[in-house]
Amino acid sequence: MRITIAINSLIATRYQAYTNHIQTFYRIGRNHPNLDVVLVNPERMTIDRMKNMAADVALDTQSDYLLIIDDDVLLPVVPRPQKDWLDLLIAAKADIVAGDVLIRGYPFNHMLFKWDRSHTGLFQMPQVPKKLGLIDVDAVGFSLCLIKTELLKKLTKPYFLTGPNNTEDIYFCLKAQEEYKEVKIKADTRIKCGHLLWDEVISPDNKENYATYYKKQFPDDTIDRTKEAKWRGANYIKVVHSVVDQIPRKGKKNAKVVKIAS
Amino acid sequence: MPKSSKLPVKLNLGCGLNKIKGYINIDCEKSVKPDMLVDFGTAKLPFKENSVDEIIMFHTIEHIRKPYHKHIFAEARRVLRVDGRFILSYPEFTKCVENWKTNYLGKKEFWEATIYGAQRFPSDHHVCIIEPKALQRELTKAGFEGIKHTPEPEEHWNTITVAYKSERRHATYDEVVRGLKYKLVS
């Protein structure tokens, strides 16, 4: 089996990610002795351009998978004989399968997306099921993501494109759904990754505590919109009535109904 | 003469989490536990004609796709008594866009949420543009009159529109052309 691993280093890799990734590659080599690895690690390249290049490399080298890792993601280190995250991603047997990475911004939702009921927009999943495992999703972030090269062969280029309202990962997932209807997009919530925030790390295990700390530190950034909605229910009706009752209503016209001659 | 003990019937359509005391809170989403579960975008409201005194839709209409508005307004008119009040409040699209463009109060993300919705959960997206003039046209077609718009006191980018059920529904131009028998002359 051959995997192309793509890691984008925009300017410089931070030391936490550097040491974590060194561990990662050591363990990939030790735990998977029969695995061929092609490493794509360009510098100073935009994320979508880098990923398109990595996809071309994966196809040219006839790799079975393209594995994308962001340079600010910390991967879980699992001691043998437990299955490591690469085993779990491959065992998912999905076209696109991601680990569980949190978004680097309050309220730290999971980088996993589902369509809303009217299929007009994707929403970030604020929570995942308590029982960890494989879940079906409609789009994933590509902080840690395994893509089958068979899927790349079915899609048109460019595979990844960053737009004004979308990142390249959402673009790819939506493109896959449009061009290949049977695409399977999954996430394995057992693979809990850390996402670097300045000097700290956010992961599913410390999300609650960090969110509490963040709300105290930055209250303006963390407006509780649910409280806003409750205010609307209680006092809003009084406000609206006070405004509406003051609007003068002109007298109704006396309408006369006339039958048109047929 | 003794006063009538009949209480006014008031509906809160699309209540979501915002239940209002004294109103029958109606929604199509089971999880918000409304007083009545009705998909009012497609189904009939379970009330008789001319039986309701007031209907409110607070920051709801922008969450419902435009093809469903005609049915909602028609049903609202059906159940309201003559001169019954239909109150809608919504973020006025051009004002929200202007605030976003100028980064009013430095809260660009907040203005984005007034345009696209807070998106905290499914159906918390704004799926159509609501502007007072276009809304007035639709309400007039549906058979409402005395339509007035006013900004919310503390959030001027939100607009409150009030409309009253007219005694007779004015025929639309299409209906006249198609050969209806009656038209209104004043």
Side-chain angles (χ1 to χ4, degrees):
Chain A
M1 190 192 298
R2 184 173 296 148
I3 294 183
T4 296
I5 302 180
I7 304 180
N8 189 41
S9 301
L10 198 57
I11 301 170
T13 303
R14 278 179 280 177
Y15 71 91
Q16 301 101 318
Y18 180 77
T19 48
N20 177 264
H21 290 186
I22 293 280
Q23 269 287 323
T24 292
F25 286 119
Y26 166 71
R27 282 164 188 269
I28 286 176
R30 187 192 66 182
N31 299 343
H32 305 271
N34 298 323
L35 184 67
D36 274 348
V37 171
V38 178
L39 185 60
V40 177
N41 179 223
E43 287 176 9
R44 298 174 192 259
M45 202 182 263
T46 56
I47 294 177
D48 52 356
R49 191 172 161 214
M50 172 263 171
K51 287 179 181 166
N52 283 316
M53 190 185 86
D56 286 339
V57 169
L59 289 169
D60 288 344
T61 55
Q62 296 171 339
S63 299
D64 300 285
Y65 296 97
L66 170 62
L67 176 65
I68 297 174
I69 304 174
D70 272 358
D71 66 346
D72 59 356
V73 166
L74 304 183
L75 300 156
V77 172
V78 177
R80 282 305 207 193
Q82 294 176 72
K83 283 187 181 177
D84 63 20
W85 53 267
L86 186 57
D87 294 324
L88 294 175
L89 288 178
I90 294 171
K93 293 184 183 170
D95 299 299
I96 305 171
V97 58
D100 189 6
V101 183
L102 301 186
I103 292 171
R104 292 170 65 234
Y106 187 86
F108 309 114
N109 289 335
H110 296 259
M111 216 182 287
L112 308 170
F113 304 84
K114 296 280 274 181
W115 285 110
D116 63 12
R117 273 186 307 156
S118 55
H119 211 83
T120 49
L122 289 163
F123 69 93
Q124 304 156 359
M125 291 175 69
Q127 288 157 7
V128 294
K130 276 188 182 164
K131 191 177 176 190
L132 301 176
L134 268 179
I135 57 172
D136 286 318
V137 290
D138 296 316
V140 294
F142 281 4
S143 286
L144 172 67
C145 186
L146 188 74
I147 302 169
K148 278 189 184 171
T149 48
E150 284 302 314
L151 176 64
L152 295 172
K153 292 173 188 170
K154 294 180 172 86
L155 305 181
T156 55
K157 290 184 183 183
Y159 303 116
F160 307 96
L161 199 63
T162 301
N165 297 314
N166 66 278
T167 47
E168 81 293 342
D169 37 21
I170 301 297
Y171 176 90
F172 182 80
C173 293
L174 295 184
K175 189 186 188 82
Q177 286 175 52
E178 280 177 23
E179 295 184 4
Y180 177 51
K181 305 286 180 205
E182 294 87 26
V183 66
K184 286 183 197 161
I185 306 179
K186 295 193 184 198
D188 197 324
T189 54
R190 290 169 291 184
I191 307 171
K192 295 184 194 178
C193 301
H195 211 167
L196 287 175
L197 299 166
W198 313 286
D199 289 325
E200 292 146 330
V201 179
I202 185 79
S203 78
D205 286 333
N206 73 342
K207 174 185 169 174
E208 295 298 327
N209 288 340
Y210 196 83
T212 307
Y213 155 76
Y214 193 88
K215 272 166 76 171
K216 283 183 187 168
Q217 292 295 313
F218 307 104
D220 286 342
D221 280 355
T222 57
I223 296 169
D224 188 346
R225 293 193 198 278
T226 54
K227 274 192 185 159
E228 206 178 297
K230 280 178 188 165
W231 173 84
R232 283 194 183 281
N235 293 321
Y236 189 63
I237 182 71
K238 292 179 192 167
V239 167
V240 170
H241 272 160
S242 68
V243 168
V244 165
D245 289 342
Q246 285 175 35
I247 298 173
R249 176 121 191 260
K250 288 181 185 174
K252 290 180 289 182
K253 289 182 183 175
N254 287 326
K256 191 177 171 185
V257 175
V258 171
K259 186 174 176 181
I260 301 170
S262 54
Chain B
M1 280 189 66
K3 273 187 186 174
S4 168
S5 59
K6 192 181 170 192
L7 288 168
V9 177
K10 296 188 274 191
L11 309 183
N12 177 12
L13 280 189
C15 62
L17 297 165
N18 307 325
K19 314 276 175 44
I20 300 177
K21 206 175 167 186
Y23 283 73
I24 301 172
N25 298 292
I26 299 174
D27 204 291
C28 57
E29 177 58 48
K30 205 171 160 185
S31 59
V32 304
K33 296 179 188 164
D35 299 333
M36 273 190 186
L37 188 68
V38 181
D39 186 2
F40 53 90
T42 50
K44 279 188 131 184
L45 289 171
F47 296 92
K48 288 185 184 167
E49 285 183 17
N50 304 317
S51 59
V52 172
D53 297 278
E54 183 174 289
I55 297 178
I56 58 175
M57 288 182 79
F58 286 167
H59 290 262
T60 305
I61 194 70
E62 66 273 17
H63 293 263
I64 301 172
R65 287 169 58 206
K66 277 226 161 114
Y68 299 110
H69 291 188
K70 194 176 170 184
H71 172 83
I72 293 169
F73 297 158
E75 273 297 291
R77 189 183 185 279
R78 181 183 70 79
V79 303
L80 275 171
R81 58 167 180 77
V82 173
D83 259 3
R85 216 156 52 168
F86 187 23
I87 305 175
L88 301 99
S89 67
Y90 48 89
E92 194 173 321
F93 182 74
T94 42
K95 287 183 182 172
C96 297
V97 166
E98 197 54 42
N99 288 344
W100 181 85
K101 276 164 63 179
T102 56
N103 196 13
Y104 180 58
L105 297 177
K107 290 185 176 179
K108 203 137 187 169
E109 279 189 20
F110 176 75
W111 302 121
E112 191 177 325
T114 60
I115 297 167
Y116 286 107
Q119 302 178 19
R120 293 160 290 173
F121 43 83
S123 79
D124 195 24
H125 294 67
H126 293 177
V127 297
C128 60
I129 291 169
I130 305 292
E131 280 289 303
K133 277 189 183 162
L135 181 63
Q136 180 160 344
R137 273 199 301 274
E138 294 306 313
L139 288 169
T140 308
K141 268 193 220 172
F144 290 90
E145 61 181 13
I147 300 166
K148 293 276 185 238
H149 313 284
T150 183
E152 279 187 19
E154 287 178 20
E155 295 181 347
H156 59 87
W157 55 90
N158 293 323
T159 298
I160 302 170
T161 293
V162 61
Y164 298 85
K165 173 176 169 173
S166 56
E167 197 170 338
R168 296 248 181 214
R169 182 178 158 266
H170 297 261
T172 63
Y173 176 76
D174 288 340
E175 286 163 346
V176 170
V177 164
R178 268 186 264 133
L180 283 182
K181 284 186 183 175
Y182 297 97
K183 75 170 183 181
L184 287 162
V185 294
S186 54

